[in-house]
Amino acid sequence: AMEEQRGPRIREGDCAVLKRDDVFKAVPVLRRRKIIFEKQWFYLDNAIGHIYGTTFEVTSGGNLQPKREVEEMTTETKEAGTDNRNIVDDGKSQRLTHDDIKALKDKGIKGQEIVQQLIENSTTFRDKTEFAQDKYIKKKKKKYEAVITIVKPSTRILSTMYYAREPGKINHLRYDTLAQMLTLGNIRAGNKMIVMETCAGLVLGAVMERMGGYGSIIQMYPGGGPVRAATSCFGFPKLFFDNLYEFPLSKVDSLLSGTFSAETLPSEPENNMVAEEESNRLSDKKQTSLQETEEESAAEVATENNQTEEQEAMDVNAEDVEFKENKGKENKENVREKQRKQWERRKKLIETAALLQEKNADGVIVASKFHPTPLLLTLLEFVAPSRPFVVYCQYKEPLLECYAKLRERGGVINLKLSETWLRNYQVLPDRSHPKLTMSGGGGYLLSGITVVLDKGKADSSNLEALKLEEPSLKRCKVQELHC
Amino acid sequence: MSFVQYGDTIKDGDTAIVFLGHESMFPVKVQHGTVTQTKYGVIRHSTDLIGKKFGSKVTCSKGGWVFVLHPTPELWTMNLPHRTQILYSTDISIITMMLELKPGSIVCESGTGSGSLSHALIRTVAPTGHLYTVEFHQQRAEKAREEFQEHGVEHLVTVTNQDVCKNGFGVSDIADAVFLDIPSPWEAIGHAKSALKAEGGRICSFSPCIEQVQRTCLALEEYGFTEVNTLEILPRVYNVRTISLQIPDLGKAAETDFDCSNPSNQSSPCTNLQQGTVQFKSGVPVREMVGHTGYLTFATKS
């Protein structure tokens, strides 16, 4: 009964995150599927049913076993040196050979015992300082004690994971920068948000998490459809998707000029996206299909840049084929289903267009690979006055231009160009200091607040605004005319 | 309006932010018959504010004008009456994300201080979450209660006037996250642990000095917290300027080999031969920046 109160359990079909020290990897929880993580392979079968946050040991044969809290080994006679004046690197301080260690491992001896043996067979260990002994044990533990923790996905975990593993997929948006965006954009339940991102759906997922299923989100997308690989890793309940809309960027201009028609949709999304949509649609009938979608996308994340790529990609393909074969069996229904799908897509597009045309959105978030200026100048048209907007760019220069163009346009105040630096610390008794390395670049943000734009005298009010906010800017503008 | 829901028009009793210009703004409580003085003249609430749209330009009695903005926790942080040192939005952002806060989260906080973080926490956990905030200073606790009421968020927060180190948060086994901004956080770690749900949760402690962090980390370890991680976040703000640099006279003939790209591209640097200058846009760091607010130590109860 006590156990029942203790948090959510790992279920088959979940998207979970594996954690070892500071390394994360998102994986679908499936039976009999080999996972490779941090040079170890194992199966998640035994993890199913345990509580999220459980730490497991990898046993021989790739099984997971919950790690029992073991008393830290305290060397009874704590001997240590005071300095390293007599420690000589002769390469012979470890009496165990590579073969000996391998033999221990092959025998299935636990990591902890191997570490103990290494210590006992190190001739210099006792002469090392207490701090050096600590460091030695930590290093060996990391190498020989195969423990992994399975955690529930969150913006914190997924944004950290993406920045470490796939920075290119998220335009090098560092997690602290994403955190700023969510705060500067006043993202919260009940908002009507416009999101334009090419960050694999991570920014969208972060916004969805903060809105908790309340309010609505309109995702603007380039090309054939939005990418939501990272969004699926969050494992959101289905109702979070009920008020998630999408609108093609290529239709924005016609929407603003009043020539919009839902008849010509942008080119059909690629195959896997159709599959995703289809399985989304089917989820009314089949509870598990949303999970399948998540699994596929999660697998995508997990496989990128990884040794397991081939194997898992094959698995996904196999599932795809199976999926399609099943569909092929009912061909007629297939055609009807396709038409129904097309019709529904169009209906949702018209709904989305109507939402945008109200021009009362509660904010805009932009984080994409595209030049931010045209995006922002256009998307701001859909935003109510006195609402925040935030644009991310990996580079500073496009935001300088964007800043200038926004000033020309007017209708915005409190413009701020900023970045954040993030510094991590090692905190240990008598050994506290900043970590050796820190991230050099996490991108830049341009943020501001919309105000009522009086169109009649846009020019004069603009000059006034310049005078009001930054006297030197007026001069700069005049100088620019000489260029 | 409320701090957890946008409204379109300004109503009697609202809190609004009067924006005068760059970094210059203040909050007003909108009341029929009241006037507010600004350097551009008087704003009459009944005629100039009530019924107007948030984000409107309001002309003051001397002909100057201001913008009137909808309040947000971020604008409030920049304008609130200080009763203590406060946390600013840069720290607040990372605290919110690292504590994994979202609608429905239950959070414990101490001390309440001036309520800068409290407003941001309430915004994030609404409409189904709750903030339990503990402040040992009686007047500050009462002032915070008043403000929450004025801002239409009193249903989302409970203010308790007691010493968190001695008496804890007044709740147990309920919180998803705990935040500490007190002089001796290590004395409250035990209480934090019992406030958190049995299934676990996140904790954050903010301290300006590294010695405080040391003791906190030891206490966290002692109480079995994992994933202990200390970090610091620094905001860097840039002014956008068009800079022009003079071309040195090296005695060369008029035509310069200092060719500066395509003149049709406005954003690229350009040469002005008559003036002998090159112009370009730059993001110039502000002269003085925040170098340190505090260390943020995060940990997990699992």
Side-chain angles (χ1 to χ4, degrees):
Chain A
M2 187 60 203
E3 280 290 282
E4 282 309 307
Q5 293 173 359
R6 298 218 47 200
R9 283 165 190 281
I10 301 162
R11 288 171 316 159
E12 196 176 357
D14 279 3
C15 179
V17 178
L18 308 177
K19 175 181 187 297
R20 188 173 173 192
D21 296 313
D22 295 329
V23 185
F24 294 106
K25 179 179 179 172
V27 291
V29 180
L30 296 173
R31 288 185 195 274
R32 289 176 298 282
R33 181 186 278 201
K34 196 173 179 175
I35 305 274
I36 298 175
F37 176 54
E38 290 285 279
K39 291 179 188 161
Q40 289 180 323
W41 60 269
F42 48 86
Y43 298 92
L44 292 177
D45 299 46
N46 289 351
I48 294 169
H50 284 279
I51 294 144
Y52 275 104
T54 306
T55 299
F56 297 92
E57 267 174 302
V58 181
T59 63
S60 51
N63 289 314
L64 292 181
Q65 201 177 67
K67 188 180 190 291
R68 262 174 290 162
E69 277 309 318
V70 196
E71 281 291 303
E72 283 296 307
M73 36 174 181
T74 40
T75 0
E76 293 97 31
T77 49
K78 248 208 165 172
E79 272 182 79
T82 49
D83 57 45
N84 60 9
R85 74 182 77 190
N86 294 318
I87 295 181
V88 184
D89 183 10
D90 58 2
K92 288 183 225 156
S93 57
Q94 181 53 253
R95 283 190 299 248
L96 293 180
T97 63
H98 275 293
D99 292 339
D100 293 339
I101 297 167
K102 193 173 177 298
L104 287 175
K105 280 210 266 187
D106 290 345
K107 265 193 262 174
I109 304 257
K110 282 206 169 167
Q112 200 166 8
E113 283 160 37
I114 297 180
V115 174
Q116 192 58 44
Q117 293 217 25
L118 284 169
I119 292 169
E120 279 161 18
N121 286 290
S122 164
T123 54
T124 50
F125 185 80
R126 273 158 216 278
D127 299 328
K128 287 176 192 277
T129 65
E130 217 177 299
F131 296 153
Q133 288 180 351
D134 242 24
K135 208 169 166 184
Y136 180 87
I137 294 172
K138 261 197 187 142
K139 229 163 118 184
K140 296 300 172 194
K141 266 188 167 180
K142 195 172 175 183
K143 191 161 173 193
Y144 296 103
E145 281 188 25
V147 293
I148 57 144
T149 307
I150 301 184
V151 294
K152 232 181 145 31
S154 65
T155 302
R156 165 177 78 97
I157 285 162
L158 292 175
S159 60
T160 316
M161 179 189 85
Y162 260 95
Y163 189 73
R165 295 179 81 92
E166 308 277 356
K169 288 240 153 69
I170 55 167
N171 303 295
H172 295 257
L173 169 70
R174 211 206 288 128
Y175 45 97
D176 54 310
T177 313
L178 176 60
Q180 302 302 312
M181 295 181 75
L182 299 169
T183 298
L184 288 170
N186 193 23
I187 311 296
R188 61 168 176 214
N191 278 7
K192 172 174 170 179
M193 291 302 304
I194 298 175
V195 177
M196 164 56 207
E197 64 128 290
T198 58
C199 294
L202 177 70
V203 175
L204 176 71
V207 171
M208 288 170 76
E209 185 183 275
R210 283 289 171 89
M211 290 180 55
Y214 302 92
S216 53
I217 305 170
I218 304 159
Q219 184 183 18
M220 315 299 292
Y221 63 88
V227 177
R228 292 178 186 161
T231 320
S232 347
C233 291
F234 284 83
F236 291 129
K238 196 186 160 292
L239 77 95
F240 276 36
F241 293 87
D242 290 347
N243 290 319
L244 173 59
Y245 299 84
E246 58 215 43
F247 194 82
L249 270 182
S250 57
K251 288 264 180 188
V252 169
D253 194 54
S254 66
L255 187 66
L256 283 169
S257 64
T259 57
F260 170 77
S261 135
E263 290 309 305
T264 52
L265 288 161
S267 57
E268 282 290 311
E270 284 157 34
N271 266 342
N272 59 336
M273 281 173 194
V274 175
E276 184 175 318
E277 277 224 358
E278 277 171 359
S279 59
N280 267 338
R281 208 122 284 154
L282 286 169
S283 63
D284 303 335
K285 301 174 204 160
K286 215 174 69 174
Q287 194 65 46
T288 53
S289 55
L290 182 66
Q291 285 166 4
E292 273 170 24
T293 314
E294 286 169 5
E295 283 157 25
E296 281 178 24
S297 308
E300 226 179 285
V301 176
T303 55
E304 285 154 0
N305 246 356
N306 199 292
Q307 311 101 299
T308 58
E309 184 154 10
E310 265 174 48
Q311 151 145 28
E312 290 188 20
M314 267 158 50
D315 287 358
V316 172
N317 283 342
E319 280 168 18
D320 251 14
V321 170
E322 216 175 303
F323 187 63
K324 272 174 197 146
E325 273 174 0
N326 283 340
K327 288 224 80 183
K329 279 172 194 163
E330 309 134 25
N331 218 340
K332 261 188 196 167
E333 203 166 299
N334 197 9
V335 174
R336 225 180 306 144
E337 174 69 21
K338 227 176 189 169
Q339 280 173 335
R340 195 177 67 89
K341 206 193 77 195
Q342 189 83 0
W343 182 79
E344 270 186 19
R345 245 188 115 203
R346 200 164 288 156
K347 196 178 128 203
K348 185 115 186 193
L349 186 68
I350 292 166
E351 257 178 74
T352 311
L355 276 177
L356 284 169
Q357 258 161 339
E358 290 170 0
K359 298 194 173 183
N360 65 353
D362 294 319
V364 182
I365 297 283
V366 176
S368 81
K369 61 182 178 188
F370 299 106
H371 199 297
T373 306
L375 281 174
L376 198 64
L377 287 178
T378 309
L379 295 180
L380 279 178
E381 298 285 314
F382 301 115
V383 183
S386 199
R387 299 293 188 270
F389 61 88
V390 194
V391 200
Y392 167 82
C393 188
Q394 192 185 341
Y395 311 100
K396 203 199 297 179
E397 290 75 11
L399 292 179
L400 296 175
E401 201 215 303
C402 194
Y403 182 101
K405 293 281 184 223
L406 282 174
R407 273 293 164 76
E408 257 172 60
R409 173 191 179 269
V412 293
I413 56 165
N414 212 31
L415 288 183
K416 194 173 95 178
L417 177 61
S418 63
E419 73 170 319
T420 45
W421 283 6
L422 187 68
R423 192 160 214 189
N424 280 286
Y425 285 82
Q426 166 181 303
V427 181
L428 289 169
D430 296 326
R431 281 158 295 161
S432 299
H433 57 75
K435 292 252 173 86
L436 203 61
T437 55
M438 64 186 270
S439 158
Y444 299 86
L445 296 176
L446 177 62
S447 61
I449 301 171
T450 56
V451 288
V452 174
L453 177 66
D454 42 1
K455 276 173 180 146
K457 36 179 185 172
D459 275 352
S460 64
S461 73
N462 184 31
L463 278 179
E464 271 180 273
L466 290 175
K467 221 191 302 175
L468 194 65
E469 276 202 49
E470 244 170 301
S472 65
L473 240 128
K474 192 179 162 192
R475 190 170 47 84
C476 298
K477 223 183 141 211
V478 176
Q479 281 174 351
E480 268 171 30
L481 297 175
H482 295 296
C483 302
Chain B
M1 80 91 226
S2 98
F3 270 65
V4 291
Q5 200 179 357
Y6 282 119
D8 284 338
T9 54
I10 304 165
K11 292 186 199 68
D12 192 23
D14 279 0
T15 298
I17 308 290
V18 176
F19 183 92
L20 290 100
H22 191 59
E23 302 268 294
S24 170
M25 48 186 146
F26 59 85
V28 286
K29 199 179 170 205
V30 179
Q31 273 174 311
H32 263 299
T34 308
V35 295
T36 299
Q37 292 287 346
T38 78
K39 59 178 174 182
Y40 301 116
V42 168
I43 301 173
R44 288 172 217 289
H45 292 203
S46 307
T47 52
D48 297 338
L49 296 181
I50 293 170
K52 291 268 173 64
K53 259 192 162 190
F54 281 108
S56 301
K57 190 193 267 186
V58 171
T59 308
C60 309
S61 63
K62 287 184 197 163
W65 44 260
V66 297
F67 284 108
V68 185
L69 301 178
H70 197 289
T72 65
E74 285 59 54
L75 286 173
W76 182 247
T77 288
M78 286 191 264
N79 295 292
L80 57 82
H82 283 218
R83 301 182 283 272
T84 56
Q85 181 64 265
I86 64 161
L87 279 167
Y88 289 94
S89 297
T90 313
D91 284 313
I92 290 173
S93 309
I94 196 94
I95 291 165
T96 310
M97 181 196 270
M98 291 301 181
L99 287 181
E100 306 192 328
L101 302 183
K102 54 192 179 203
S105 298
I106 308 290
V107 195
C108 291
E109 176 202 35
S110 189
T112 316
S114 306
S116 171
L117 176 70
S118 313
H119 279 81
L121 295 175
I122 293 167
R123 174 262 315 274
T124 303
V125 306
T128 46
H130 200 85
L131 171 67
Y132 294 90
T133 185
V134 176
E135 170 61 53
F136 69 175
H137 190 283
Q138 198 196 335
Q139 267 174 312
R140 272 184 231 146
E142 270 164 25
K143 194 74 200 142
R145 268 189 212 114
E146 270 171 47
E147 265 173 14
F148 294 139
Q149 192 136 31
E150 257 176 45
H151 296 163
V153 296
E154 74 274 18
H155 57 295
L156 295 162
V157 54
T158 305
V159 185
T160 310
N161 176 213
Q162 63 186 30
D163 183 348
V164 74
C165 296
K166 289 206 185 86
N167 311 109
F169 291 93
V171 289
S172 62
D173 192 12
I174 191 173
D176 298 290
V178 171
F179 177 81
L180 295 169
D181 179 5
I182 51 172
S184 47
W186 56 91
E187 290 175 8
I189 300 298
H191 293 299
K193 190 177 180 178
S194 53
L196 285 166
K197 285 177 180 162
E199 64 186 77
R202 295 275 292 166
I203 184 170
C204 175
S205 173
F206 173 94
S207 295
C209 305
I210 197 74
E211 290 80 4
Q212 294 169 301
V213 177
Q214 298 260 22
R215 300 181 74 163
T216 307
C217 285
L218 283 175
L220 284 167
E221 221 162 288
E222 197 183 309
Y223 280 97
F225 282 87
T226 58
E227 282 192 290
V228 181
N229 180 25
T230 300
L231 58 84
E232 184 179 28
I233 187 165
L234 295 173
R236 287 177 64 83
V237 178
Y238 297 94
N239 286 322
V240 180
R241 294 271 183 266
T242 303
I243 309 285
S244 72
L245 289 182
Q246 240 185 326
I247 303 167
D249 179 8
L250 296 172
K252 288 192 182 173
E255 79 272 14
T256 173
D257 45 344
F258 207 95
D259 182 35
C260 69
S261 66
N262 185 0
S264 67
N265 187 348
Q266 281 205 344
S267 64
S268 65
C270 60
T271 319
N272 188 324
L273 285 180
Q274 271 126 19
Q275 289 177 8
T277 57
V278 180
Q279 287 190 346
F280 60 93
K281 272 207 189 75
S282 179
V284 186
V286 294
R287 207 166 60 84
E288 205 166 58
M289 64 172 267
V290 174
H292 180 69
T293 53
Y295 301 103
L296 291 165
T297 299
F298 294 93
T300 303
K301 174 188 175 182
S302 48

